Amino acid sequence: MSKVLFVTSECWPLIKTGGLADISSSLPLALQNKGEDVLTLLPAYRGVKKHFKPLRNIATINSDYFDETIELLVGSISSTGQNICLLDAPSLFDREGGPYKDSHKQDWDDNAYRFALLCRVACEIAMGRTMPDWKPDVVHCNDWQTGLIPALLSLEANPPASIFTIHNIAYQGIYMRHIFDPLKLPESWWHYEALEFHGNFSFLKGGIVFSNRVATVSPTYAEEIKNSDKGCGLDGLLNFRATELSGILNGVDYSSWDPKSDKYIKHPYDQRTLKNKRLNKTVLQKEMGLNNDGKLPVIGVVSRFAHQKGIDLVIEQIRRFSHEPVQWAILGSGDTNIEEELEALAEQFPDKVGIKTGYDEGLAHRIEAGADIFLMPSRYEPCGLNQMYSLRYGTVPVVCKTGGLADTVIDAADGALATGFLIAQADADEVEIGLKRALSAYQNKALWLKLRRRGMAQEFSWQESAAAYLRLYEEAMVGNGSLDANPASREERVVKEARASGRKHQTPEMS
Ligand code: ADP
Ligand code: GLC
């Protein structure tokens, strides 16, 4: 059993802006279920404490890098049982707005400082200085907000091993020199072999340079980011670390995302009761203000409205298909211009285009359950979760052939294995071709049923991926010298240690 400190900037159901939150819940839980001793650290943003009963203060930190007292609060999330440590620093995190942006969609101007603090506190926990009876074997860091952790650990004697998972290489936490100085980091890190990045500095680069192992969230994305068109300037570094870089496909938490037991949908169904899906379609059409016509195919989209996701291409398709018998159910938020354009289209075609802007967990589930087709014309997609959810909901995915989308959807042309439609590249003509192929298959009842049944039978649970992370943890421990490379002597050591201590180590008691 390893002790793992999992550090993240979001975690469902506490706080979520995208897939990172889903993964920060489902992976630690999968590891917990395998018997690992996992503690997830994240900031105590406004409103998160209500998810626990009760929370226990386990440490108070006074330091020379933050004027106020920081409290560490530990508890288990009531609804999921995940073991959490909250970094409570109210002046930095208890704010109205999102984890990274204020209510006017502007980045908090002290983001570098806020997440550097998260990294410093993670390092204190990792070194056993806040909870002397709990020192992790591995620190699992996620995305740029945690990138300084491996760097800070490199300054310590006998640090735990570190893993850095890149969920999206396009978000790097890049800041200018005048932001670097107040963070009180070693001057030697202002160097191209450390944090310096084209005259600025990058949190993400710190994670890649200093961690024992680097992972990303699908095998194809692991290859793509080694090339200049998707590597966002870090492809050279990733090639340099290629033997320590792996792509581990994200898993799905089927206890939240399965139409058989989904608490957000009115009519549960599975492969045998697939006809009930139609009832969910009626519910969705009503909720989105669409004409109640069971025959019309509904195309669903749930997405951040960002360039990555190709939402501009969705808008173009709504125009191109405006005289065709299709309906659209779209949920998302982000770019204000995109939100306004979509709202204008919904006004222009009220019974064909349903749009809801903002964040709505329940509607995201109801779109998966009620739509016939799910469209993801992403320009790049490290993993993508919605296409995997769509498969389980019998909602046929039409996705670009990139990253995790290419790893999880099998094109209709592949006959007996097919589960959806792959778009060759993210441009309007190709997306139109992909949609037309799907719409024509929709007319062929037997083929459509086969596609849906096959999709529903796909299994992207965490079983295998969590095991792959455990193997990576071991490799990282061997890499940083904290674990013997020879499994036989390792086993011997574990037995000896167990005998000597006479007890198992436990996460700081959760109440
Ligand atoms: P990304 O993390 O790049 O946004 P993913 O496909 O990995 O993309 O994950 C997106 C997650 O966020 C999914 O769980 C999806 O259902 C959810 N999501 C995205 N936008 C919204 C929204 N507006 N309301 C509710 N859930 C959303
Ligand atoms: C990022 C990626 C997305 C991935 C998610 C979880 O937000 O954009 O593709 O599924 O992280 O790993």
Side-chain angles (χ1 to χ4, degrees):
M1 179 179 68
S2 321
K3 289 193 279 300
V4 182
L5 179 66
F6 188 94
V7 192
T8 181
S9 55
E10 43 186 284
C11 179
W12 186 84
L14 309 180
I15 179 110
K16 171 167 168 176
T17 72
L20 173 62
D22 294 24
I23 301 313
S24 299
S25 154
S26 54
L27 173 55
L29 280 170
L31 293 170
Q32 265 180 237
N33 289 338
K34 279 181 178 291
E36 304 302 318
D37 185 357
V38 189
L39 185 62
T40 299
L41 171 70
L42 82 160
Y45 302 108
R46 177 159 298 180
V48 307
K49 290 182 194 166
K50 68 171 185 286
H51 293 270
F52 301 84
K53 346 176 205 167
L55 274 167
R56 221 159 38 86
N57 179 321
I58 47 124
T60 300
I61 305 176
N62 290 299
S63 72
D64 57 359
Y65 49 80
F66 186 53
D67 296 341
E68 296 161 37
T69 299
I70 301 163
E71 308 229 354
L72 292 185
L73 309 172
V74 167
S76 300
I77 300 179
S78 313
S79 56
T80 63
Q82 185 177 355
N83 299 332
I84 298 282
C85 178
L86 294 176
L87 184 182
D88 199 15
S91 68
L92 296 184
F93 297 109
D94 185 1
R95 297 175 175 176
E96 192 63 47
Y100 321 120
K101 293 175 189 289
D102 64 20
S103 1
H104 305 288
K105 298 187 182 174
Q106 297 302 312
D107 281 354
W108 296 110
D109 57 13
D110 55 355
N111 271 346
Y113 186 74
R114 296 165 77 225
F115 292 108
L117 185 78
L118 174 65
C119 295
R120 287 208 184 262
V121 169
C123 193
E124 292 302 296
I125 299 173
M127 293 311 298
R129 290 195 284 262
T130 54
M131 295 178 258
D133 59 340
W134 197 83
K135 182 169 186 259
D137 305 299
V138 176
V139 185
H140 187 157
C141 311
N142 295 276
D143 271 353
W144 75 261
Q145 293 84 355
T146 63
L148 296 184
I149 299 171
L152 290 165
L153 287 176
S154 75
L155 303 173
E156 303 281 348
N158 302 321
S162 57
I163 304 278
F164 186 71
T165 296
I166 303 168
H167 293 263
N168 193 333
I169 203 164
Y171 297 84
Q172 298 189 3
I174 295 177
Y175 295 98
M176 290 191 281
R177 175 77 215 200
H178 72 273
I179 306 276
F180 182 81
D181 295 327
L183 298 184
K184 299 185 185 157
L185 301 172
E187 182 55 34
S188 61
W189 287 358
W190 193 269
H191 189 274
Y192 75 95
E193 286 180 346
L195 302 191
E196 193 270 340
F197 187 64
H198 301 294
N200 294 311
F201 80 103
S202 157
F203 274 60
L204 191 89
K205 188 174 169 187
I208 299 174
V209 169
F210 288 96
S211 57
N212 295 108
R213 285 291 181 281
V214 182
T216 188
V217 289
S218 68
T220 294
Y221 193 61
E223 289 308 311
E224 288 174 344
I225 54 179
K226 285 190 270 179
N227 295 315
S228 56
D229 61 329
K230 300 242 169 61
C232 299
L234 290 168
D235 37 295
L237 173 60
L238 289 165
N239 277 298
F240 178 69
R241 294 218 61 189
T243 54
E244 291 141 345
L245 166 69
S246 41
I248 300 177
L249 191 73
N250 282 333
V252 170
D253 175 4
Y254 288 118
S255 68
S256 299
W257 290 95
D258 191 320
K260 213 165 41 188
S261 52
D262 188 327
K263 66 176 184 197
Y264 294 107
I265 69 174
K266 207 162 174 192
H267 307 283
Y269 62 94
D270 60 15
Q271 276 192 66
R272 283 177 306 109
T273 52
L274 188 50
K275 61 177 184 337
N276 282 358
K277 186 166 163 61
R278 257 186 275 151
L279 305 174
N280 292 300
K281 178 165 168 176
T282 308
V283 171
L284 179 66
Q285 285 171 320
K286 196 164 172 211
E287 183 168 0
M288 300 299 276
L290 301 168
N291 266 2
N292 178 5
D293 181 337
K295 291 212 175 70
L296 286 183
V298 174
I299 304 170
V301 175
V302 178
S303 181
R304 287 186 288 113
F305 293 162
H307 185 69
Q308 166 192 356
K309 302 289 180 181
I311 295 299
D312 50 321
L313 299 170
V314 173
I315 290 177
E316 176 62 21
Q317 300 311 311
I318 296 176
R319 296 206 175 98
R320 290 189 184 189
F321 285 83
S322 60
H323 300 295
E324 304 289 327
V326 299
Q327 293 181 332
W328 296 83
I330 302 175
L331 166 66
S333 64
D335 187 315
T336 311
N337 292 333
I338 297 273
E339 288 183 3
E340 285 170 3
E341 258 185 89
L342 281 166
E343 273 156 5
L345 282 167
E347 255 176 51
Q348 195 180 346
F349 306 107
D351 28 293
K352 298 191 78 169
V353 182
I355 158 91
K356 172 139 188 221
T357 55
Y359 182 83
D360 187 335
E361 184 75 23
L363 182 55
H365 287 245
R366 287 189 291 281
I367 290 179
E368 289 291 5
D372 298 291
I373 292 169
F374 198 92
L375 178 61
M376 291 177 80
S378 305
R379 293 190 162 84
Y380 68 92
E381 195 62 76
C383 180
L385 297 174
N386 280 108
Q387 83 284 6
M388 295 194 271
Y389 301 157
S390 300
L391 288 167
R392 179 52 60 101
Y393 283 73
T395 304
V396 177
V398 178
V399 304
C400 282
K401 191 176 177 183
T402 183
L405 301 177
D407 290 337
T408 50
V409 175
I410 303 171
D411 190 78
D414 291 338
L417 300 174
T419 57
F421 296 86
L422 289 172
I423 301 165
Q425 64 187 44
D427 76 43
D429 291 345
E430 294 291 344
V431 178
E432 183 180 340
I433 291 170
L435 271 181
K436 281 190 170 151
R437 288 177 68 213
L439 290 169
S440 130
Y442 177 80
Q443 300 306 331
N444 179 340
K445 283 204 170 119
L447 169 63
W448 198 248
L449 188 62
K450 269 193 199 151
L451 277 176
R452 295 200 293 174
R453 287 235 165 98
R454 222 174 281 129
M456 293 177 88
Q458 301 293 304
E459 193 65 41
F460 295 104
S461 70
W462 271 106
Q463 201 56 22
E464 264 178 48
S465 299
Y469 269 111
L470 285 179
R471 286 194 295 277
L472 199 65
Y473 293 168
E474 272 202 8
E475 273 182 34
M477 286 189 255
V478 171
N480 90 334
S482 59
L483 193 66
D484 199 319
N486 174 355
S489 52
R490 225 154 57 208
E491 218 162 276
E492 225 170 76
R493 197 201 66 186
V494 171
V495 174
K496 268 192 206 149
E497 276 176 7
R499 279 203 196 116
S501 72
R503 66 183 177 92
K504 277 186 180 173
H505 249 310
Q506 291 285 322
T507 312
E509 187 201 329
M510 305 291 151
S511 31

